[in-house]
Amino acid sequence: DIQMTQSPSSLSASVGDRVTITCRASQSIASYLNWYLQKPGKVPKLLIYAASSLQSGVPSRFSGSGSGPDFTLTISSLQPEDFATYYCQQSYSTPGTFGGGTKVEIK
Amino acid sequence: EMQLVESGGGLIQPGGSLRLSCAASGFTVSSNYMSWVRQAPGKGLEWVSIIYSGGITYYADSVKGRFTISRDNSKNTLYLQMNSLRADDTAVYYCARDGYNSRVGAFDIWGQGTMVTVSS
């Protein structure tokens, strides 16, 4: 199985900060990497698919990059509604493993 | 509006069985890759199973041989039959649609989730 390692597991940031979350796959997954946001008690929401494609309706402050084993999610200017947990997920092969999550908290 | 609505969760004793349902509206289940994803209390997301539009299915090792994914095209509904349930199957179960036929799934539509609690 492909293992997905996210870092950091948590971070504190302020509104307006630029935030970067990384995700590393245990083997090459081409661009089969997706990013989700989940708020407490809520359903996960797709932000980025295929490593860098912005899901419809998602603000342009979210961007994704990378290929092969290393990927990055960037929030260019953190907004109050962005405080949540972020998950990466590989969709290259079954099982479609998720990373452990990165909790973004208010500083 | 495209929507998924799950049902069937509840409290079940270890070793018991439960069937989850996921009714779709606004799109056709059989034309899409559909998955189940679960989340144990306070934990991260775990992919469980997928059924492709052609009918091929795959499972996580943790549920293989115990869970069965299926669909009823006439009802536009996805199912997860769960047998031999264990305490570590306790989780919120989500059904999800792969909006991009991305091999295993880039999930653009999620159900609201249904809680399964396995306990005596």
Side-chain angles (χ1 to χ4, degrees):
Chain A
D1 296 358
I2 298 173
Q3 307 303 315
M4 305 301 294
T5 304
Q6 271 184 253
S7 60
S9 57
S10 66
L11 65 89
S12 296
S14 301
V15 172
D17 284 353
R18 181 181 181 89
V19 170
T20 299
I21 300 169
T22 63
C23 184
R24 170 168 286 181
S26 58
Q27 66 182 72
S28 179
I29 56 171
S31 295
Y32 288 90
L33 191 283
N34 313 301
W35 290 98
Y36 302 85
L37 168 159
Q38 186 180 33
K39 297 182 181 180
K42 300 298 185 182
V43 176
K45 174 185 175 182
L46 180 64
L47 298 174
I48 302 286
Y49 64 94
S52 61
S53 296
L54 192 67
Q55 172 66 3
S56 176
V58 173
S60 59
R61 63 180 179 273
F62 291 94
S63 65
S65 64
S67 65
D70 293 313
F71 301 87
T72 300
L73 173 71
T74 300
I75 310 171
S76 60
S77 178
L78 198 66
Q79 298 302 300
E81 59 269 30
D82 301 338
F83 291 95
T85 299
Y86 293 81
Y87 294 95
C88 63
Q89 177 234 351
Q90 64 85 12
S91 53
Y92 181 80
S93 66
T94 57
T97 37
F98 289 85
T102 296
K103 187 173 184 179
V104 177
E105 298 175 303
I106 300 173
K107 181 183 285 185
Chain B
E1 180 190 6
M2 293 180 285
Q3 192 176 7
L4 293 167
V5 178
E6 295 124 341
S7 60
L11 174 64
I12 188 76
Q13 291 189 338
S17 297
L18 212 54
R19 188 178 81 157
L20 306 183
S21 299
C22 172
S25 57
F27 69 95
T28 303
V29 164
S30 62
S31 298
N32 289 270
Y33 302 172
M34 299 294 298
S35 283
W36 288 95
V37 175
R38 69 183 180 183
Q39 187 169 35
K43 302 298 184 182
L45 300 168
E46 179 186 14
W47 179 88
V48 173
S49 181
I50 188 170
I51 182 166
Y52 290 103
S53 51
I56 293 174
T57 60
Y58 290 95
Y59 300 91
D61 285 346
S62 58
V63 307
K64 199 174 299 182
R66 300 187 299 122
F67 290 12
T68 302
I69 190 172
S70 64
R71 66 190 182 212
D72 184 328
N73 296 345
S74 67
K75 296 182 178 179
N76 206 27
T77 298
L78 179 74
Y79 299 101
L80 186 68
Q81 176 67 43
M82 304 185 295
N83 298 330
S84 303
L85 282 161
R86 311 185 304 220
D88 61 358
D89 293 318
T90 295
V92 174
Y93 285 74
Y94 298 101
C95 59
R97 183 189 85 157
D98 177 357
Y100 300 98
N101 291 349
S102 177
R103 290 197 182 187
V104 185
F107 306 121
D108 66 336
I109 300 172
W110 295 67
Q112 83 283 3
T114 187
M115 184 71 204
V116 173
T117 303
V118 184
S119 175
S120 54

